[in-house]
Amino acid sequence: MAKAAVEHGNRIGVRATLSTTLVPTVDLLKRKAREAGKDVAVDDVLVEGAFQFRAGGDVEAHDVQIRLALEGLSQKVDVVVFAQASMARAVRGTVQKLPVLTSPVLGVENVKRRLER
């Protein structure tokens, strides 16, 4: 996912619902950018309250918080990375103006490519 984000552009948005995944995700993106010889700007945001909604069983409120965190990003970044797999369903069925990378989708695609070899 980090490699794909770096390939998409130089301005990367990262959204997370837990600080414990935000920092490692940003670090990974920066490391992958260095390895690719690219200079990237990372716009990272902790989506406040979303995790608490999900933990309390209100998945729809969680998803709304995630969608709100995406608003206005198309003017600021080239691609968005979700730091947690649990965030992926928030954009299912929505129309996004920019790529939103999620680990479930990219993970399955990676496994498929490896099996086809």
Side-chain angles (χ1 to χ4, degrees):
M1 186 168 65
K3 182 180 174 192
V6 169
E7 290 171 356
H8 267 89
N10 297 331
R11 301 174 308 156
I12 303 170
V14 179
R15 297 300 177 263
T17 63
L18 290 168
S19 60
T20 55
T21 56
L22 184 61
V23 173
T25 301
V26 170
D27 290 346
L28 177 62
L29 286 164
K30 289 180 178 178
R31 187 174 80 236
K32 289 297 180 185
R34 277 193 307 276
E35 290 171 5
K38 287 184 80 174
D39 185 28
V40 298
V42 178
D43 177 331
D44 57 306
V45 170
L46 181 64
V47 183
E48 298 288 344
F51 178 77
Q52 290 74 12
F53 281 126
R54 186 169 183 88
D58 192 347
V59 177
E60 187 53 40
H62 166 271
D63 293 355
V64 167
Q65 292 297 108
I66 302 301
R67 287 185 212 112
L68 289 172
L70 291 174
E71 288 183 4
L73 275 181
S74 62
Q75 302 301 316
K76 296 168 51 175
V77 299
D78 304 312
V79 61
V80 176
V81 171
F82 281 172
Q84 291 124 243
S86 61
M87 299 171 71
R89 71 179 299 280
V91 292
R92 234 182 299 153
T94 65
V95 177
Q96 297 300 319
K97 295 179 182 177
L98 64 148
V100 177
L101 305 180
T102 64
S103 59
V105 171
L106 291 172
V108 169
E109 288 173 359
N110 186 34
V111 169
K112 181 181 174 193
R113 275 193 310 275
R114 289 173 183 248
L115 290 173
E116 289 173 344
R117 287 187 204 155

